[in-house]
Amino acid sequence: MTTDGRPHAGDDQSPLRQNYRGASELVVLVKRWGQRPMPAAVLCAFEELEEEYDALLDTASQFCVMRADVGEVLGLDPDVQPRQQLRTLDGTIEGALHKHTVCLRAIVGENVAVDASWLVSRDWRGPIVLGWMGFLQSIAFGCDPGVTLDDVGTFYFAPLSG
Amino acid sequence: MQDSRTATSGAFGDAEALWRSTRLLACLPGSSELPHWESAGQARATVFFAEEGRGGTLWGMSEARTPEEEGQGLPREVEPIGRCDYVTRVNAAALETDQEEGASGARGAFPHTGAGATAILPPQQDVSLLRFRVQPAPALSRYTAMIHQAVANHAKVVALMHESRRYAEAASPLCQLSSETIARVAQNMRTAENVVNPIMGEFFSRRPEQQVGIDPALLATFENAVRFAAAHHDVFGLARMASELQSRTSAALSNASDRVAAVEAGSVADLNAEIQRLLSAGRVSDARAIAARAASRMPGSDVFAQWQEVLAPPRARLAGKATGRSRRSEQAWLREHAQDYKGQWVALRGDMLIAAGRLLQEVRERARKAAGLTEILFHFVPEDP
């Protein structure tokens, strides 16, 4: 991992460089959920909680998704309005939509916080998901997956708003 | 046959006097170039205005002048040069022939007879209109801002048209144009207003959320075509594309209008369902717009304020110096042991399992009592599908 967030583009390729502000670890979870191809996971945290959580990066998901028990820890009711359905690999799930801030804790550089849109669902049986519309669209990010699957790579990020 | 560029700048140099007067009627501020003159052979014409819709009168200038006019350096007055059913690039040779036979014969100069046509505006206005109709396919979230900008432009266009008419009336003695000519041009402008305003009005009366239903791919295609036409000063091409785009836009707006009208007539439940349907279809911007309007229509309804909040685009910000740490030890433990905890949360610190269980609240509480929550990683191990 480099400390300036420019791991790949050379000095002669300035248009390709992205000024990432933070970097943390990226974990590929392919072997951890049956044989289902899984995207990469990063560490996230919630401002009101001390601990950290693994969260999947999912560019195909409209919203961030969390299980109801995570929502209840954060005070996000899974049974209120507005409600929305979401199609997933496990079928259609339903839940309540909330705004809640989630933080990417950097190991190098600076942390980035996003006021993300969450679907809090009692139907969801998977891990925390960081989706596109509710989260990823607000940051610039880059992934270095590491050498092999189940290896630890690097996740670079920066807020789009600077 | 003369070179068209040479002819435009040469033989029509004197015509600029007239054009300058009519430019006041026709141009938006900031346009420094003379309009493009369709020119070939002995016939030249520029369209000031074709009245409307399916066919109309083309107003322009013909090259033929009386000796008196040549001596005075004045072109012939603006006059109708023919009727058209569809405006495209003028076949100047045919126009010349037709003019010899009289204005009525000029119809043959326009090959696409019988097709529908809409208003052809003075060139600069037309370009202005096209600018907002053919915006590049934007992300839907940017489309609303673009429409608002177009509304502002529209207000400017209308104000300029009124101002131009006053100029035209005041300019008569200065330009030595006959009062009849000025009256005719002014009438053209009034007619233009009558044509422009309904079109613009229809477009802008649609709320932004109704307008995002326009096929972005179509807009992108038209944008490319318009750029090409503009680069070649193809006013007629621009006009033709404006016509086509207007037609397609109207159809798209009509469909969107039906949908929104149905929503407006509905209840809170209908609006909720519509927002949910749009979200399921991936149309977040549309859903966001519906929620915003519903919230404004029903200020007492919390649910639409909540929709607005949860659909607001996420915002990211820097949140202080790095406070994370490597979790390689935890990941190593998970690689070895996660399969033993399917369907459970595990709380890890380094390569030590602190607690495990099916409900996060219980696992957190056990972890807190055992080791505190600082530096704990919580990982949920899904069950196999």
Side-chain angles (χ1 to χ4, degrees):
Chain A
M1 177 190 304
T2 59
T3 56
D4 65 358
R6 298 171 181 174
H8 296 301
D11 289 341
D12 58 340
Q13 296 176 309
S14 56
L16 297 178
R17 295 190 310 201
Q18 168 64 44
N19 292 320
Y20 297 117
R21 302 295 294 268
S24 63
E25 289 177 340
L26 178 81
V27 182
V28 179
L29 299 175
V30 171
K31 296 178 183 174
R32 289 219 198 120
W33 197 354
Q35 294 304 309
R36 181 175 293 179
M38 291 296 298
V42 297
L43 294 174
C44 70
F46 301 97
E47 290 182 328
E48 60 270 57
L49 305 180
E50 299 174 69
E51 66 269 26
E52 291 181 345
Y53 292 82
D54 274 333
L56 298 184
L57 299 173
D58 188 354
T59 57
S61 179
Q62 276 191 351
F63 301 105
C64 300
V65 183
M66 65 171 69
R67 290 159 48 97
D69 55 357
V70 181
E72 287 166 7
V73 167
L74 295 169
L76 305 177
D77 191 337
D79 300 316
V80 297
Q81 295 285 344
R83 303 189 63 72
Q84 180 61 26
Q85 292 184 333
L86 193 66
R87 285 193 293 272
T88 75
L89 288 175
D90 284 337
T92 300
I93 64 172
E94 182 175 331
L97 287 169
H98 292 273
K99 273 282 188 184
H100 198 79
T101 300
V102 62
C103 183
L104 294 172
R105 283 189 183 167
I107 298 175
V108 175
E110 296 174 88
N111 300 329
V112 168
V114 178
D115 61 334
S117 296
W118 293 89
L119 183 75
V120 183
S121 172
R122 294 190 184 280
D123 303 330
W124 181 234
R125 297 287 182 259
I128 291 173
V129 174
L130 299 177
W132 181 262
M133 289 296 291
F135 180 86
L136 288 172
Q137 67 172 175
S138 68
I139 64 171
F141 61 93
C143 299
D144 177 356
V147 178
T148 62
L149 295 182
D150 262 2
D151 200 355
V152 177
T154 307
F155 182 63
Y156 303 94
F157 49 83
L160 284 182
S161 54
Chain B
M1 182 174 289
Q2 302 174 44
D3 174 78
S4 61
R5 297 280 174 188
T6 303
T8 298
S9 59
F12 269 84
D14 294 335
E16 291 181 14
L18 176 61
W19 177 250
R20 286 198 182 97
S21 69
T22 55
R23 272 184 81 198
L24 291 173
L25 310 177
C27 296
L28 293 173
S31 60
S32 57
E33 296 181 0
L34 285 174
H36 178 62
W37 293 81
E38 289 298 319
S39 174
Q42 297 301 308
R44 301 178 182 86
T46 190
V47 174
F48 292 151
F49 176 60
E51 284 180 349
E52 64 180 328
R54 297 184 180 278
T57 302
L58 282 179
W59 294 85
M61 285 191 299
S62 64
E63 185 197 31
R65 309 176 189 182
T66 65
E68 292 76 16
E69 287 171 336
E70 290 286 357
Q72 294 172 355
L74 289 175
R76 287 183 64 175
E77 293 178 352
V78 176
E79 61 180 10
I81 57 174
R83 287 188 58 81
C84 68
D85 291 308
Y86 190 89
V87 175
T88 183
R89 179 177 290 278
V90 171
N91 181 333
L95 183 62
E96 179 183 8
T97 301
D98 290 337
Q99 282 186 318
E100 291 174 354
E101 298 172 355
S104 62
R107 179 178 183 133
F110 308 101
H112 297 282
T113 55
T118 59
I120 305 305
L121 306 174
Q124 293 298 327
Q125 281 194 355
D126 202 24
V127 171
S128 174
L129 286 172
L130 282 167
R131 276 179 185 154
F132 78 77
R133 288 179 182 159
V134 294
Q135 286 287 332
L140 292 181
S141 59
R142 297 208 308 270
Y143 203 90
T144 301
M146 185 267 288
I147 292 297
H148 285 315
Q149 182 60 47
V151 170
N153 289 344
H154 173 232
K156 186 164 62 177
V157 169
V158 171
L160 280 163
M161 292 176 74
H162 286 289
E163 183 183 33
S164 297
R165 192 164 59 193
R166 290 198 300 274
Y167 282 156
E169 291 164 358
S172 175
L174 298 176
C175 296
Q176 301 178 23
L177 297 176
S178 72
S179 58
E180 183 182 357
T181 297
I182 291 298
R184 179 178 293 167
V185 174
Q187 176 60 40
N188 285 350
M189 290 307 300
R190 283 191 289 273
T191 309
E193 284 184 42
N194 292 336
V195 173
V196 171
N197 286 338
I199 294 172
M200 301 286 280
E202 180 187 14
F203 192 85
F204 291 115
S205 67
R206 313 288 184 177
R207 296 177 177 87
E209 62 268 27
Q210 295 171 271
Q211 301 180 33
V212 296
I214 300 169
D215 181 4
L218 172 68
L219 294 180
T221 300
F222 269 88
E223 188 206 15
N224 291 334
V226 166
R227 281 181 174 166
F228 180 85
H232 292 79
H233 305 286
D234 183 0
V235 173
F236 293 100
L238 290 170
R240 177 172 52 80
M241 284 182 284
S243 167
E244 292 181 9
L245 187 57
Q246 172 63 32
S247 172
R248 297 189 186 210
T249 301
S250 295
L253 293 182
S254 177
N255 292 337
S257 176
D258 292 344
R259 175 169 56 81
V260 175
V263 169
E264 286 194 326
S267 62
V268 171
D270 294 330
L271 286 165
N272 245 331
E274 176 68 0
I275 292 169
Q276 289 168 335
R277 187 189 68 77
L278 290 168
L279 286 177
S280 296
R283 297 170 61 179
V284 176
S285 295
D286 286 6
R288 188 179 292 146
I290 294 284
R293 184 135 55 90
S296 67
R297 286 180 57 229
M298 304 179 192
S301 174
D302 290 340
V303 69
F304 295 118
Q306 292 165 347
W307 272 119
Q308 276 191 288
E309 179 187 356
V310 299
L311 294 180
R315 287 188 174 81
R317 57 182 166 80
L318 294 173
K321 296 288 186 184
T323 55
R325 68 180 188 85
S326 173
R327 296 294 186 175
R328 286 176 182 266
S329 298
E330 286 87 345
Q331 300 305 337
W333 185 94
L334 287 167
R335 277 197 296 274
E336 294 297 321
H337 304 290
Q339 70 273 13
D340 300 329
Y341 295 89
K342 288 178 179 174
Q344 296 186 50
W345 286 96
V346 293
L348 303 170
R349 177 179 287 160
D351 57 0
M352 291 179 56
L353 174 66
I354 306 299
R358 292 197 170 271
L359 284 179
L360 178 62
Q361 296 92 320
E362 297 172 3
V363 178
R364 283 187 84 243
E365 191 55 33
R366 289 207 292 272
R368 185 205 314 276
K369 289 178 179 174
L373 292 174
T374 304
E375 297 186 353
I376 293 285
L377 171 67
F378 284 86
H379 179 90
F380 182 76
V381 185
E383 294 182 277
D384 289 336

